[in-house]
Amino acid sequence: MSDHHVYKKVEVVGSSKKSIEDAIENAIAECSKNLRNIEWFEVQETRGHVVDGKVGHYQVVLKVGFRIENS
């Protein structure tokens, strides 16, 4: 094991018809299918889409941080 770590951040947008929290969870779940060693996320932006005067869906822009393997 190394005594230092190197990390990378990627930006993703999660969406949900139910809630902001669900949009975050959807984004992390999808990222986890392709990225290993995910360690944190940062909410950068929250927005939504309005349909007929009601919230149609939520969008959350996240920065997802993961550790580079073997670092």
Side-chain angles (χ1 to χ4, degrees), residues 2-13:
S2 176
D3 61 352
H4 69 279
H5 298 292
V6 176
Y7 300 90
K8 181 170 179 78
K9 292 194 291 187
V10 296
E11 186 173 271
V12 297
V13 180

Side-chain angles (χ1 to χ4, degrees), residues 26-41:
N26 289 341
I28 297 299
E30 287 299 315
C31 285
S32 293
K33 292 178 182 178
N34 294 300
L35 298 174
R36 288 181 292 218
N37 306 316
I38 294 175
E39 296 196 4
W40 78 88
F41 67 91

Side-chain angles (χ1 to χ4, degrees), residues 16-67:
S16 171
K17 290 184 176 185
K18 293 190 334 190
S19 68
I20 291 167
E21 290 84 2
D22 197 50
I24 292 169
E25 290 180 19
N26 289 341
I28 297 299
E30 287 299 315
C31 285
S32 293
K33 292 178 182 178
N34 294 300
L35 298 174
R36 288 181 292 218
N37 306 316
I38 294 175
E39 296 196 4
W40 78 88
F41 67 91
E42 305 166 18
V43 175
Q44 300 292 302
E45 186 178 336
T46 305
R47 61 180 178 241
H49 183 234
V50 178
V51 178
D52 297 325
K54 297 180 183 176
V55 175
H57 69 273
Y58 302 90
Q59 289 184 328
V60 180
V61 179
L62 303 173
K63 294 252 178 142
V64 177
F66 60 97
R67 184 176 38 83

